[in-house]
Amino acid sequence: MNYFPDEVLEHVFDFITSHKDRNSVSLVCKSWYKIERYSRRRVFIGNCYSISPERLIARFPGLKSLTLKGKPHFADFNLVPHDWGGFVYPWIKALAKSRIGLEELRLKRMVVSDESLELLSKSFVNFKSLVLVSCEGFTTDGLAAIAANCRFLRELDLQENEVDDHRGHWLSCFPESCTSLISLNFACLRGEVNLGALERLVSRSPNLKSLRLNRAVPLDTLQKLLMRAPQLVDLGIGSYVHDPFSEVYNKLKIAFQRCKSIRSLSGFLEVAPHCMSAIYPICGNLTFLNLSYAPGLHGNKLMKLIQHCRKLQRLWILDCIGDKGLGVVALTCKELQELRVFPSDPFGAGNAAVTEEGLVLVSAGCPKLNSLLYFCQQMTNAALITVAKNCPNFIRFRLCILDPIKPDPVTNQPLDEGFGAIVQSCKGLKRLSLSGLLTDQVFLYIGMYAEQLEMLSIAFAADSDKGMLYVLNGCKKLRKLEIRDCPFGDAALLEDVGKYETMRSLWMSSCEVTLGGCKSVAEKMPSLNVEIIDECEQMEFNLDDKQKVDKMYLYRTLVGHRKDAPEYVSIL
Amino acid sequence: MVTDKMVDYPQFLNLMNKEWLVNHKVSEDKKLELRLGPPGEALDYNRNTTHGTKRAFQHTAETRTGEKEWPVDTTKNQCQKISCIEKIGDKVNLPPTPWSSGSTIYSAFSKDTKEEPQHSKASFFQNLPVSKKLAGMAEDFKQPCSPRMAVGEVQFADGKACCSLATADPDASTNITSNKRIEYSPVVGWPPIRSFRKNIASNSLSKPASESSNDKDTGGKPENPKTQLFVKINMEGIPIGRKVNLSAYNSYEELSLAIDDLFSGLLAAQRDPSATQNESKAKESAKAEAGPLAGSGEYTLIYEDDEGDRILVGDVPWNMFVSTAKRLHVLKSSELSTLQICSNEKEKAPFDPAVHI
């Protein structure tokens, strides 16, 4: 190692791209640490409060791409109050002040203001790529700034954000000179867009590979866009409602036939199911199909569509597909790796639903299945055991039975055995979400078998502290643990506080932990921030240590207490 | 055989409570041992349960014989298969046979009850005596579901059983094709889906009529009527909002009363925190509040439409309101003058709102 000049080592390190590997490399020795840090271009920060922008900049002066995540996962389900935190502005401000030549920024669950976007757009000459996932706090004005100022923008990808849509003009802000776009996704915007500007933009973007439209883009515009961009690889259709006998529809059919490169199809934010046949020509090449926004598509029309998709690797669908429909998937999509079945009617339970049957069918027909998100009416141990046997390759297994404490309806037993079979069989399981009636037993199994588990989500489960203890003791690679409505108390929380330093974060809400318990953790572990989220402000009136804490979120950090917490958050 | 219905469930519960409390201490230490058995060993809650379980499993398998797709081997052998994993130390030998030729299946239902596990019989029901205050609620639950659900009730502190997540009648649930519609009262954050997915079904139903008439072969299934249109509603001064199903009402009056109901409990809780301890007390105080809130003019109802504008409730016909309202706010009437309100066409004086609650 001493015999190579730094440049050679740097060149070697260029081939090491995974964050984990890079982190390992930096630990080898001082000189490797130094070389690695100067040559690092991409940094991933899983919790924006674990480190400060200043320290990031100090260590990685050559940074080009930054990924930041803010709020805890349960924020997606409205369990985290609105202004809890996760502001990106301080990061952009610090980066702008420095000499960092930022080119890519990827944010998840962060609060992004228009001010931040504007500062971003003006501070980095070579800025190329902005990806915002599940973020909020900005309007289309911020997007206009990005469009107008980022001269070399390649990617603007907005996924499931809450955007205040001031309608239309932001698209026109892309200058005529902007011809570098590769990816444009604005499906989550609710307002009108300037269709003419959109067409012109697409026309002058020969490298455009990914285009995801919002609901406001009608079919005739879609047809024109496809004619101008037959090289598209990823298409998100906005509105797909039209008269099958119209001229537009005929033109659309022709357009689809020209698009030989489309591998990924999503959107259908509005759909008329009898017009799906226009899409058949591209189905045969699809590897990703997302129909999870289209409840209008079901029954035979949906079956026919699926039957054309023989190369599908990822399918996102609504439960109106039914067990029968999943049977068709099982017969057709032999390459399937990822399946997500979302509920179309989350608070009722009519005929539009899937059960354990559908899952078993898919597991039997699709041996490559490794990632699952499945919302269903019910699940049985027998089915889970069968699935475990059929698909031992699961990396992600997220099951959500709509009634959260429902037992196996056939045997009336808890689902411990079924999930036990999953963790035992799937040795590479990294992410698991449980539901249904569950006792401590399932956690015993998880602790015993889930050696690679990194993220675990638990709700309405377990009988006692033992459940949590089994997991904390057994899962050595656990990084994120999120728990709601379980009878875990201080005994479990305090058993091994050192464990939390090996994890990114722990969320516990509506459990049995008390204020005293949380204080104890904070006292013993100064490297953790222990946050109590108290929306009702009960804590103000009643500082009794025996008081149960409604929501606790703790995470390891190198920079101590954050300064931007709202009033109802106390950091112990 | 374990029957699907626990007919004498409430009495059984009480019995188990006492037994559990007695057994708990004795078996506590043993239960704490980390047992390294495979899944399946610890299955036997009691012998009867196991047998019943196996029979039920067989039953399931047999009913499926007719269906080609069911991959479970339906030969008689399956329930006699012993779990494949004997000890942790042994190499795990899952049968390599593909599912279709299934000679062995991975069965966690071990035939032999090797060691009676230290789980007491009541382990399934251990859910129930979660805390003393909830034990009293056990009686209310006719279905085998955990009164942990009642925690949500206590939290919300109003009379409504907002967590009445009773499982379906087990008979009905084994017959999945029954048309029984099971309604779940919403628990905060459940099911775990993003907000925009919650109204997907109802949002799609705004297709123009010409489209649906051309839709011939959707299996003849009629579109569900718009029975679920949940919108958020926040009351000024109360940090936690509620959700209200607009399509459940037919007039502004009904809505007004319902909103009254929703928040009176919370208001009572705010004024008197001790009222949250006891469910029945909360019910009483909720009733007491119902009178004063309604018609007092103290609060005003505002909605946000699909363009994001805030409008006083009551200006437009009820149906139009339902189709455009995306969010509701209950504001103190005294605060109205400080707000920027846009009312449809007519200019109303800020202190004279269309709908009082």
Side-chain angles (χ1 to χ4, degrees):
Chain A
M1 291 178 273
N2 300 346
Y3 316 135
F4 294 125
D6 288 357
E7 296 80 31
V8 174
L9 275 176
E10 200 179 305
H11 185 65
V12 172
F13 290 173
D14 275 349
F15 293 100
I16 302 172
T17 47
S18 109
H19 294 295
K20 283 188 186 160
D21 290 342
R22 280 245 154 196
N23 294 345
S24 307
V25 157
S26 68
L27 293 173
V28 168
C29 64
K30 270 194 186 155
S31 97
W32 279 38
Y33 175 88
K34 185 172 134 230
I35 298 168
E36 197 282 319
R37 83 174 242 261
Y38 280 110
S39 63
R40 177 104 89 162
R41 301 284 166 259
R42 318 180 67 91
V43 174
F44 169 84
I45 296 176
N47 174 7
C48 64
Y49 290 119
S50 61
I51 191 73
S52 70
E54 289 75 27
R55 284 179 67 161
L56 170 75
I57 293 164
R59 180 168 170 190
F60 299 114
L63 181 66
K64 295 255 174 293
S65 161
L66 177 62
T67 304
L68 278 173
K69 293 191 179 181
K71 298 185 199 180
H73 174 233
F74 276 177
D76 283 353
F77 318 131
N78 301 328
L79 287 176
V80 177
H82 193 66
D83 44 353
W84 170 87
F87 306 104
V88 78
Y89 185 75
W91 291 85
I92 297 183
K93 186 161 154 217
L95 287 163
K97 261 202 235 165
S98 75
R99 292 214 216 117
I100 300 241
L102 194 69
E103 294 183 11
E104 177 179 273
L105 186 62
R106 310 168 72 96
L107 305 176
K108 186 166 185 180
R109 277 187 221 106
M110 293 200 72
V111 178
V112 181
S113 60
D114 282 345
E115 208 187 358
S116 321
L117 290 177
E118 205 177 314
L119 182 59
L120 178 69
S121 72
K122 293 182 176 161
S123 309
F124 306 104
V125 173
N126 280 325
F127 192 74
K128 296 194 172 73
S129 166
L130 179 63
V131 179
L132 301 177
V133 180
S134 305
C135 296
E136 54 169 358
F138 60 103
T139 77
T140 45
D141 294 345
L143 297 178
I146 297 285
N149 302 326
C150 299
R151 296 168 57 210
F152 303 114
L153 194 69
R154 290 195 200 155
E155 182 176 16
L156 179 59
D157 185 359
L158 308 172
Q159 297 176 31
E160 300 184 354
N161 301 291
E162 296 254 348
V163 185
D164 201 358
D165 198 327
H166 293 166
R167 241 142 271 163
H169 82 288
W170 66 276
L171 261 181
S172 328
C173 293
F174 281 103
E176 289 301 314
S177 55
C178 173
T179 57
S180 47
L181 268 184
I182 297 180
S183 164
L184 178 64
N185 171 5
F186 59 94
C188 63
L189 295 185
R190 283 177 271 212
E192 305 292 317
V193 283
N194 183 328
L195 299 176
L198 177 59
E199 285 176 48
R200 289 190 294 278
L201 179 62
V202 169
S203 301
R204 63 177 187 275
S205 303
N207 298 321
L208 193 67
K209 292 279 187 291
S210 166
L211 178 64
R212 296 196 184 187
L213 310 167
N214 76 345
R215 198 186 202 115
V217 179
L219 205 89
D220 57 338
T221 308
L222 171 66
Q223 175 263 320
K224 289 183 204 160
L225 294 172
L226 288 177
M227 293 303 278
R228 293 181 209 272
Q231 77 283 3
L232 279 180
V233 171
D234 170 25
L235 174 65
I237 291 180
S239 170
Y240 195 73
V241 172
H242 53 83
D243 175 357
F245 302 109
S246 67
E247 180 64 24
V248 172
Y249 184 61
N250 285 332
K251 286 191 190 167
L252 184 69
K253 281 201 266 195
I254 298 169
F256 274 128
Q257 277 159 6
R258 288 183 67 212
C259 293
K260 305 225 180 282
S261 310
I262 295 185
R263 297 286 171 269
S264 158
L265 188 61
S266 61
F268 296 99
L269 305 174
E270 264 185 349
V271 65
H274 49 280
C275 302
M276 296 309 284
S277 53
I279 298 192
Y280 293 165
I282 50 173
C283 287
N285 289 325
L286 286 181
T287 56
F288 175 45
L289 178 61
N290 181 354
L291 297 173
S292 66
Y293 304 109
L297 262 184
H298 49 253
N300 291 340
K301 295 289 178 197
L302 180 56
M303 300 310 136
K304 267 188 100 172
L305 183 68
I306 303 265
Q307 277 166 339
H308 283 83
C309 303
R310 310 203 76 86
K311 292 194 188 164
L312 217 52
Q313 293 173 14
R314 296 166 60 213
L315 175 63
W316 293 22
I317 196 95
L318 286 173
D319 61 3
C320 11
I321 192 175
D323 290 330
K324 257 181 85 179
L326 288 176
V328 174
V329 173
L331 289 173
T332 313
C333 309
K334 296 300 180 188
E335 302 298 313
L336 197 69
Q337 295 174 28
E338 175 177 325
L339 174 66
R340 296 196 189 193
V341 180
F342 293 95
S344 56
D345 190 11
F347 299 111
N351 295 327
V354 293
T355 70
E356 76 278 10
E357 287 187 39
L359 182 59
V360 173
L361 291 174
V362 174
S363 74
C366 309
K368 295 188 184 179
L369 196 64
N370 62 38
S371 172
L372 181 74
L373 172 61
Y374 196 74
F375 285 83
C376 57
Q377 279 307 310
Q378 60 181 51
M379 184 54 57
T380 64
N381 283 312
L384 283 173
I385 290 165
T386 307
V387 169
K389 189 203 140 200
N390 292 337
C391 298
N393 298 319
F394 274 114
I395 298 175
R396 267 170 247 110
F397 192 89
R398 299 159 67 187
L399 186 70
C400 177
I401 302 169
L402 289 171
D403 176 353
I405 47 162
K406 189 167 181 164
D408 179 331
V410 171
T411 64
N412 248 346
Q413 295 296 306
L415 292 174
D416 301 335
E417 297 307 308
F419 281 107
I422 294 284
V423 292
Q424 190 170 12
S425 165
C426 304
K427 311 248 174 273
L429 193 68
K430 288 191 179 171
R431 182 168 180 182
L432 178 64
S433 300
L434 306 170
S435 62
L437 185 66
L438 296 164
T439 71
D440 287 342
Q441 187 69 10
V442 71
F443 300 103
L444 172 62
Y445 295 144
I446 292 173
M448 268 163 52
Y449 296 113
E451 289 172 10
Q452 302 298 322
L453 195 66
E454 297 182 7
M455 180 168 178
L456 179 61
S457 309
I458 310 172
F460 304 105
D463 312 314
S464 72
D465 284 335
K466 280 181 282 155
M468 186 165 164
L469 287 171
Y470 291 149
V471 170
L472 291 176
N473 289 337
C475 300
K476 300 295 176 207
K477 296 206 177 173
L478 195 63
R479 291 189 299 115
K480 286 182 279 184
L481 181 57
E482 45 187 27
I483 305 170
R484 64 164 294 182
D485 293 274
C486 295
F488 302 142
D490 294 340
L493 180 68
L494 293 170
E495 170 83 6
D496 177 13
V497 290
K499 169 87 177 171
Y500 306 131
E501 215 175 34
T502 69
M503 293 166 52
R504 184 189 297 174
S505 65
L506 167 66
W507 168 282
M508 291 180 77
S509 61
S510 304
C511 296
E512 305 284 313
V513 292
T514 67
L515 183 57
C518 297
K519 281 185 182 170
S520 206
V521 176
E523 224 177 271
K524 294 183 188 167
M525 300 292 298
S527 58
L528 300 177
N529 276 355
V530 180
E531 297 194 6
I532 309 294
I533 299 169
D534 179 29
E535 296 158 275
C536 304
E537 291 167 43
Q538 283 169 344
M539 296 285 160
E540 273 192 38
F541 302 119
N542 189 353
L543 287 170
D544 178 10
D545 276 3
K546 294 202 199 66
Q547 171 110 359
K548 297 246 172 80
V549 163
D550 187 36
K551 293 177 184 170
M552 178 205 75
Y553 179 54
L554 65 80
Y555 51 89
R556 67 181 176 190
T557 176
L558 293 174
V559 290
H561 291 187
R562 61 185 174 112
K563 309 279 186 300
D564 61 1
E567 269 185 32
Y568 55 80
V569 171
S570 348
I571 309 182
L572 300 176
Chain B
M1 173 177 172
V2 171
T3 52
D4 19 27
K5 265 203 196 111
M6 300 289 203
V7 175
D8 40 356
Y9 177 85
Q11 293 93 314
F12 187 38
L13 257 188
N14 284 335
L15 210 69
M16 300 284 20
N17 282 356
K18 290 179 199 155
E19 274 193 31
W20 179 82
L21 284 168
V22 165
N23 288 337
H24 182 68
K25 292 222 167 78
V26 170
S27 50
E28 183 68 25
D29 293 331
K30 292 190 182 166
K31 277 190 256 172
L32 279 171
E33 279 177 351
L34 196 68
R35 295 191 62 248
L36 296 181
E41 261 193 13
L43 179 64
D44 302 336
Y45 293 99
N46 56 56
R47 283 174 198 256
N48 290 338
T49 315
T50 313
H51 290 318
T53 309
K54 277 208 229 161
R55 264 183 270 158
F57 181 47
Q58 236 171 357
H59 171 73
T60 314
E62 277 154 24
T63 55
R64 304 276 182 253
T65 323
E67 297 177 21
K68 285 184 235 164
E69 298 99 337
W70 185 255
V72 172
D73 180 23
T74 54
T75 60
K76 316 93 196 173
N77 289 334
Q78 60 189 358
C79 286
Q80 286 142 28
K81 301 294 184 296
I82 305 205
S83 67
C84 310
I85 296 50
E86 298 293 281
K87 283 184 281 186
I88 290 296
D90 288 356
K91 190 177 165 207
V92 173
N93 285 319
L94 279 178
T97 53
W99 63 271
S100 52
S101 70
S103 51
T104 16
I105 69 153
Y106 177 94
S107 166
F109 296 95
S110 61
K111 194 179 178 186
D112 305 320
T113 57
K114 293 176 194 175
E115 301 162 86
E116 192 64 48
Q118 299 315 312
H119 284 283
S120 75
K121 287 178 271 189
S123 60
F124 172 78
F125 300 107
Q126 275 174 18
N127 293 340
L128 303 171
V130 163
S131 70
K132 285 178 192 160
K133 70 187 174 194
L134 297 175
M137 294 182 183
E139 250 97 56
D140 297 341
F141 286 79
K142 301 201 175 61
Q143 314 262 355
C145 69
S146 166
R148 197 178 302 117
M149 298 318 304
V151 173
E153 274 188 289
V154 175
Q155 279 176 354
F156 285 106
D158 64 1
K160 291 226 161 77
C162 51
C163 301
S164 52
L165 286 163
T167 54
D169 191 330
D171 271 345
S173 62
T174 51
N175 175 14
I176 297 137
T177 51
S178 79
N179 287 330
K180 190 164 186 174
R181 190 173 173 84
I182 308 155
E183 295 277 340
Y184 302 124
S185 311
V187 176
V188 175
W190 193 270
I193 50 172
R194 306 285 315 279
S195 322
F196 60 80
R197 290 199 177 277
K198 285 186 180 165
N199 282 330
I200 275 187
S202 49
N203 282 346
S204 79
L205 295 171
S206 47
K207 282 191 300 190
S210 58
E211 247 70 58
S212 36
S213 63
N214 284 334
D215 212 357
K216 280 168 200 157
D217 29 355
T218 47
K221 191 183 99 151
E223 309 266 37
N224 288 332
K226 212 171 180 180
T227 53
Q228 309 279 342
L229 193 54
F230 285 99
V231 298
K232 288 187 207 169
I233 176 164
N234 284 86
M235 179 178 248
E236 198 175 327
I238 298 184
I240 297 182
R242 300 297 300 270
K243 274 226 165 152
V244 61
N245 182 1
L246 289 182
S247 38
Y249 310 106
N250 294 312
S251 69
Y252 286 118
E253 245 181 63
E254 283 181 33
L255 176 66
S256 174
L257 283 171
I259 292 176
D260 209 1
D261 268 338
L262 274 183
F263 284 107
S264 50
L266 281 174
L267 274 176
Q270 273 202 309
R271 287 171 200 168
D272 177 14
S274 65
T276 65
Q277 300 288 338
N278 188 318
E279 190 201 355
S280 51
K281 256 196 205 161
K283 273 188 189 150
E284 278 169 24
S285 46
K287 281 184 196 154
E289 293 290 338
L293 264 189
S296 69
E298 205 186 314
Y299 291 94
T300 305
L301 191 58
I302 307 257
Y303 74 98
E304 272 179 42
D305 68 359
D306 43 17
E307 294 180 329
D309 296 320
R310 290 182 160 206
I311 306 175
L312 279 170
V313 165
D315 284 348
V316 299
W318 171 255
N319 286 325
M320 196 190 291
F321 164 71
V322 171
S323 61
T324 54
K326 296 291 170 237
R327 229 190 134 133
L328 294 170
H329 295 275
V330 181
L331 303 175
K332 295 198 174 99
S333 302
S334 53
E335 299 289 324
L336 280 183
S337 55
T338 60
L339 298 171
Q340 286 175 347
I341 309 167
C342 138
S343 86
N344 282 350
E345 286 137 51
K346 290 189 225 166
E347 275 188 16
K348 285 208 154 120
F351 287 104
D352 180 22
V355 176
H356 288 279
I357 356 174

